[in-house]
Amino acid sequence: MTAPRTVRVGDIALSNTAPLTFLAGPCQLESRDHALMIAEKMAKICAENGAGYVFKASYDKANRTSVSGKRGLGIDAGLEVLAAVKAEIGCPVVTDVHAPDQCAKVAEVVDILQIPAFLSRQTDLLLAAGETGRAVNVKKGQFLAPWDMPNVAAKIASTGNENILLCERGTSFGYNTLVADMRGLPQMAATGYPVVMDATHSVQQPGGLGGASGGQREFAPLMARCAAAIGVAAIFIETHEDPDRAPSDGPNMVPLDRMGALVASLMQFDRLAKADPFTL
C-alpha cells in the first residue's frame, strides 16, 4: 500500500486520513440564484460539522439517456455561474469536462475537473485534464474493476500532475442496474490517492425509465454511510430542494432539507473510522 497522498483544493486537504469533504450540489446548473442557494446552505452545513465543502454542478450533461434530455446551461453561462459561487460563497467548485478542448477553459474557473465514468479511459481527455495542473476527480467507469484505476491515474500523472482523486460510482450489474462493491474503496485507496464515494450515482438506474435514468434515492444515505464507516477522503452527493422536479437525475438525488442531518451523521462515522482504521 502506498502512503496516503494529500490533494489540496483551496483551503481543503483531501486525504483518506483527513476529515471528510463533501462534493455536493445539483446534478446540473439551473440558474445563478439556484446554484448560490444550494451552495450557501451546503457550505453552512459542512462548516457547522467540521467538514470540507466543494460545490458540484454540471454545465452540460452530455451523456443523457435521450436526445431530448435537458443538458444544462452550456459551458460559457455555466462557468459564469461557477465563478459566482466561488466569489460569493468562497468555496471551491467542481464540474465535468467531456472533451480535451474544454479542459483549459474550464480550469480557468474551477478547482477540480471531473472525468465522467463513461470517459474514464479516454486518454486524450485524461491528459488534457492533467495538463491544466488542476485537481482531477476521475469517476471509475461502470465497466472497470477497482484495480484498473491505477492505469487511469497513471495517464494523468504522466503529465506531472499528481492531484488525482479516484471516485467510485457503482459497477454495471445487468440491465439498468448498478452495484457498489465496497471492497473497491480500500483497493483504490491502496494507490495512495484520495478516494471519493459517489453515493447518489451508485444508486442510479441507468436508462431505467426508458427515456431517462431512474434511481433509488432512499439508498443513497446508506451508500454514503458505508463509505464513511470505511474511511474515505470525500463523499459526492447530488442534492436538490425538490428532486422530483429537477431536470436530471432527480430519482437518485437527496432532498436538500435532509442534508444537515445526513452530514452530521456521516461525520460521526468518519471520525470513528479514521481514529481507529480497520486493517487485517
Side-chain angles (χ1 to χ4, degrees), residues 117-142:
F118 288 124
L119 302 178
S120 59
R121 287 187 60 175
Q122 294 297 105
T123 302
D124 290 344
L125 178 59
L126 294 170
L127 295 177
E131 287 166 357
T132 67
R134 292 293 194 181
V136 182
N137 182 34
V138 189
K139 292 198 174 184
K140 179 177 72 63
Q142 301 92 328

Side-chain angles (χ1 to χ4, degrees), residues 67-236:
V67 70
S68 62
K70 295 181 180 179
R71 291 182 53 168
L73 299 180
I75 190 168
D76 292 325
L79 290 177
E80 288 181 8
V81 171
L82 292 169
V85 169
K86 285 186 66 172
E88 297 190 29
I89 307 301
C91 63
V93 297
V94 56
T95 196
D96 302 285
V97 288
H98 301 278
D101 60 3
Q102 296 176 356
C103 293
K105 182 174 184 175
V106 172
E108 293 177 359
V109 173
V110 309
D111 302 275
I112 305 174
L113 277 68
Q114 184 163 276
I115 308 297
F118 288 124
L119 302 178
S120 59
R121 287 187 60 175
Q122 294 297 105
T123 302
D124 290 344
L125 178 59
L126 294 170
L127 295 177
E131 287 166 357
T132 67
R134 292 293 194 181
V136 182
N137 182 34
V138 189
K139 292 198 174 184
K140 179 177 72 63
Q142 301 92 328
F143 44 87
L144 293 179
W147 46 87
D148 292 326
M149 290 303 283
N151 290 324
V152 173
K155 293 181 181 182
I156 300 169
S158 72
T159 68
N161 184 353
E162 294 276 1
N163 299 312
I164 301 167
L165 311 173
L166 303 180
C167 183
E168 172 62 63
R169 58 94 71 228
T171 302
S172 294
F173 190 72
Y175 298 128
N176 307 124
T177 305
L178 299 172
V179 63
D181 181 355
M182 291 297 167
R183 295 174 299 177
L185 301 179
Q187 287 168 339
M188 289 196 294
T191 64
Y193 292 116
V195 171
V196 181
M197 177 64 192
D198 184 341
T200 42
H201 287 103
S202 63
V203 299
Q204 186 186 62
Q205 295 172 313
L209 300 180
S213 291
Q216 296 174 300
R217 77 167 69 102
E218 66 271 24
F219 294 121
L222 176 64
M223 294 293 102
R225 181 175 287 192
C226 291
I230 291 170
V232 294
I235 303 285
F236 178 108

Side-chain angles (χ1 to χ4, degrees), residues 42-78:
M42 283 304 308
K44 183 174 185 291
I45 289 169
C46 289
E48 289 174 346
N49 288 281
Y53 177 59
V54 180
F55 175 77
K56 178 274 159 190
S58 300
Y59 59 80
D60 180 15
K61 303 303 295 184
N63 59 353
R64 296 296 83 193
T65 301
S66 168
V67 70
S68 62
K70 295 181 180 179
R71 291 182 53 168
L73 299 180
I75 190 168
D76 292 325

